[in-house]
Amino acid sequence: MATHVDVKHSRRIMGRLGHDKDLLEELTAVAAGEGVTLGRVEAIGAVKRARLGYYNQEEREYEFHEVDQPMEIISLLGNVSLKDGKPMVHAHVTLADREGRAFGGHLAPGTVVFACEFVMQALEGAELKRAHDDPTGLPLWEM
Ligand code: ZN
């Protein structure tokens, strides 16, 4: 069964991330620094290398793979919510190599920014907190 809450747009933040910084850590720092506890995020740009996660549904754990080459960020889509009382960015990315071949997955620490432009949209009207979900083993939103 699907569950949901109503949220309202509050404000948008646009910017670029630091060269050589960790993509996920930088987005998380923006959310924390701007007090965004609920929101959505999108970004485009390029990375020097990437570390992507794939959730093994049978084993109920993430498998990580590294793509050690410069790539374009074709699309980064994610959300911001609370985990353990702090803003957590959950993002997925599609990356492309110089031949245009795509790689994708759950954005993990270890993805290094070459250049990145982002838009973060803060939302309000609800508080979404992550907690352990038994059927999946994932930290999903409590609703
Ligand atoms: Zn994910």
Side-chain angles (χ1 to χ4, degrees):
M1 186 185 74
T3 52
H4 67 278
V5 294
D6 277 6
V7 295
K8 281 191 308 202
H9 161 67
S10 142
R11 65 197 172 105
R12 286 191 181 90
I13 301 152
M14 288 183 77
R16 65 187 180 95
L17 302 180
H19 183 74
D20 264 341
K21 301 285 191 180
D22 187 280
L23 180 51
L24 182 59
E25 284 175 13
E26 284 281 276
L27 290 173
T28 304
V30 169
E34 291 292 328
V36 177
T37 56
L38 185 69
R40 62 189 302 273
V41 61
E42 63 184 67
I44 55 173
V47 297
K48 290 184 159 184
R49 59 181 175 275
R51 186 162 167 267
L52 304 171
Y54 168 85
Y55 192 68
N56 183 321
Q57 297 177 14
E58 294 270 311
E59 303 293 328
R60 294 159 63 98
E61 62 184 23
Y62 277 99
E63 295 168 5
F64 295 97
H65 58 281
E66 294 183 12
V67 190
D68 193 11
Q69 61 181 343
M71 291 172 287
E72 297 288 318
I73 303 171
I74 304 307
S75 174
L76 178 153
L77 288 175
N79 57 56
V80 184
S81 60
L82 287 170
K83 181 159 183 256
D84 303 324
K86 292 184 214 152
M88 178 192 143
V89 173
H90 177 203
H92 287 193
V93 287
T94 306
L95 306 167
D97 70 10
R98 68 190 305 169
E99 274 83 41
R101 289 179 301 211
F103 299 84
H106 173 99
L107 178 63
T111 300
V112 180
V113 173
F114 180 76
C116 182
E117 300 170 346
F118 70 89
V119 182
M120 189 175 287
Q121 181 173 9
L123 301 168
E124 58 187 30
E127 191 171 68
L128 293 183
K129 293 181 186 167
R130 292 188 179 277
H132 177 78
D133 175 69
D134 261 336
T136 63
L138 288 165
L140 299 184
W141 291 328
E142 284 184 306
M143 314 190 107

